[in-house]
Amino acid sequence: MYKDVFYFHPDGPSKISFEVRPNKTNYYVTDVINFTCISNGNPQPTFRWKFNSMDIMENRKYTFLNKNATVAFTLQYLNESGNYQCNVKNYVNEKYMMKNDSVTLTVKELNIIPEPIATESCFRDTCSFIERCYESDDTAVCS
């Protein structure tokens, strides 16, 4: 009679792969960001996130997905530029095994150039003090 034998091979977290979505050069206020930390181990490692060395907690701003392997949020302020770190750990042979990796994110302000305002004439509609009115093709434009 044969018995199935399963061996438990404990293994600390593997090297971390760090994904940033969207993957682009510049990040702006209002962008939605997803950081994903990929690491395997036996037992399955746990994930924790930090921003500039401070723990990130799930709240209205931050959402954790995939058993905390992913953190998603919307950039709201320029001061969200900084170091985002993923910490991975599991318990192997009566001790904690840990790894971490990080990415530095720079948030820029989105520069929106307003469209010129067109009216019938410069006389009927004055521009603001920082704009100049000019007429072209029977239309007044503030710019």
Side-chain angles (χ1 to χ4, degrees):
M1 182 191 262
Y2 294 98
K3 289 187 180 182
D4 290 332
V5 178
F6 294 97
Y7 293 99
F8 177 72
H9 295 284
D11 189 19
S14 64
K15 183 176 182 204
I16 296 171
S17 295
F18 205 107
E19 289 183 359
V20 180
R21 300 269 186 234
N23 186 6
K24 58 186 192 173
T25 305
N26 296 312
Y27 295 92
Y28 299 95
V29 171
T30 73
D31 281 349
V32 176
I33 302 292
N34 285 285
F35 292 137
T36 300
C37 200
I38 301 166
S39 180
N40 296 308
N42 191 8
Q44 181 66 35
T46 59
F47 299 88
R48 287 185 57 205
W49 291 92
K50 293 183 181 241
F51 171 62
N52 291 337
S53 301
M54 300 291 290
D55 286 332
I56 295 176
M57 305 304 240
E58 187 162 21
N59 54 36
R60 289 188 315 188
K61 176 166 183 58
Y62 297 104
T63 302
F64 293 106
L65 308 164
N66 306 322
K67 297 182 180 178
N68 293 351
T70 298
V71 60
F73 60 100
T74 300
L75 295 171
Q76 296 174 317
Y77 307 102
L78 295 176
N79 68 2
E80 290 173 302
S81 294
N83 182 271
Y84 290 84
Q85 183 180 55
C86 172
N87 296 295
V88 180
K89 77 175 180 178
N90 67 357
Y91 194 70
V92 175
N93 295 329
E94 300 182 17
K95 64 180 177 179
Y96 282 103
M97 307 291 283
M98 294 181 247
K99 294 217 169 138
N100 63 62
D101 198 5
S102 63
V103 65
T104 299
L105 189 74
T106 302
V107 181
K108 297 181 178 185
E109 193 154 7
L110 190 59
N111 293 327
I112 300 173
I113 301 171
E115 292 292 321
I117 299 170
T119 60
E120 292 177 16
S121 74
C122 289
F123 179 75
R124 292 188 73 201
D125 190 23
T126 59
C127 299
S128 73
F129 72 95
I130 60 170
E131 296 175 311
R132 196 174 122 234
C133 185
Y134 66 92
E135 293 184 22
S136 174
D137 297 326
D138 296 324
T139 301
V141 178
C142 294
S143 67

mmCIF file of all heavy atoms in Angstrom, residues 127-132 143:
data_model
loop_
_atom_site.group_PDB
_atom_site.id
_atom_site.type_symbol
_atom_site.label_atom_id
_atom_site.label_comp_id
_atom_site.label_asym_id
_atom_site.label_seq_id
_atom_site.Cartn_x
_atom_site.Cartn_y
_atom_site.Cartn_z
ATOM 1 N N CYS A 127 -11.023 92.051 -20.198
ATOM 2 C CA CYS A 127 -10.229 90.909 -19.759
ATOM 3 C C CYS A 127 -9.766 91.140 -18.321
ATOM 4 O O CYS A 127 -9.852 92.249 -17.795
ATOM 5 C CB CYS A 127 -9.003 90.745 -20.663
ATOM 6 S SG CYS A 127 -9.438 90.438 -22.388
ATOM 7 N N SER A 128 -9.242 90.102 -17.694
ATOM 8 C CA SER A 128 -8.713 90.264 -16.346
ATOM 9 C C SER A 128 -7.435 91.107 -16.411
ATOM 10 O O SER A 128 -6.874 91.337 -17.478
ATOM 11 C CB SER A 128 -8.411 88.902 -15.724
ATOM 12 O OG SER A 128 -7.270 88.335 -16.312
ATOM 13 N N PHE A 129 -6.942 91.524 -15.253
ATOM 14 C CA PHE A 129 -5.786 92.412 -15.219
ATOM 15 C C PHE A 129 -4.505 91.742 -15.737
ATOM 16 O O PHE A 129 -3.546 92.430 -16.084
ATOM 17 C CB PHE A 129 -5.575 92.976 -13.799
ATOM 18 C CG PHE A 129 -5.050 91.974 -12.814
ATOM 19 C CD1 PHE A 129 -3.690 91.879 -12.565
ATOM 20 C CD2 PHE A 129 -5.916 91.123 -12.128
ATOM 21 C CE1 PHE A 129 -3.208 90.958 -11.656
ATOM 22 C CE2 PHE A 129 -5.429 90.209 -11.228
ATOM 23 C CZ PHE A 129 -4.078 90.114 -10.986
ATOM 24 N N ILE A 130 -4.452 90.415 -15.818
ATOM 25 C CA ILE A 130 -3.245 89.764 -16.317
ATOM 26 C C ILE A 130 -3.378 89.346 -17.784
ATOM 27 O O ILE A 130 -2.475 88.770 -18.347
ATOM 28 C CB ILE A 130 -2.878 88.528 -15.463
ATOM 29 C CG1 ILE A 130 -3.985 87.490 -15.474
ATOM 30 C CG2 ILE A 130 -2.489 88.919 -14.063
ATOM 31 C CD1 ILE A 130 -3.587 86.162 -14.863
ATOM 32 N N GLU A 131 -4.546 89.664 -18.398
ATOM 33 C CA GLU A 131 -4.764 89.296 -19.790
ATOM 34 C C GLU A 131 -4.778 90.538 -20.673
ATOM 35 O O GLU A 131 -4.945 91.660 -20.192
ATOM 36 C CB GLU A 131 -6.103 88.559 -19.950
ATOM 37 C CG GLU A 131 -6.159 87.244 -19.218
ATOM 38 C CD GLU A 131 -7.527 86.609 -19.301
ATOM 39 O OE1 GLU A 131 -8.521 87.303 -19.039
ATOM 40 O OE2 GLU A 131 -7.578 85.424 -19.639
ATOM 41 N N ARG A 132 -4.612 90.298 -21.927
ATOM 42 C CA ARG A 132 -4.665 91.369 -22.909
ATOM 43 C C ARG A 132 -5.756 91.037 -23.909
ATOM 44 O O ARG A 132 -5.891 89.886 -24.320
ATOM 45 C CB ARG A 132 -3.315 91.463 -23.619
ATOM 46 C CG ARG A 132 -3.133 92.758 -24.352
ATOM 47 C CD ARG A 132 -1.723 92.861 -24.908
ATOM 48 N NE ARG A 132 -1.881 93.026 -26.331
ATOM 49 C CZ ARG A 132 -1.329 92.284 -27.268
ATOM 50 N NH1 ARG A 132 -0.523 91.321 -26.940
ATOM 51 N NH2 ARG A 132 -1.561 92.488 -28.526
ATOM 52 N N SER A 143 -6.241 86.892 -23.719
ATOM 53 C CA SER A 143 -5.195 85.902 -23.514
ATOM 54 C C SER A 143 -4.056 86.495 -22.723
ATOM 55 O O SER A 143 -3.924 87.652 -22.556
ATOM 56 C CB SER A 143 -4.685 85.352 -24.837
ATOM 57 O OG SER A 143 -4.020 86.363 -25.548
#
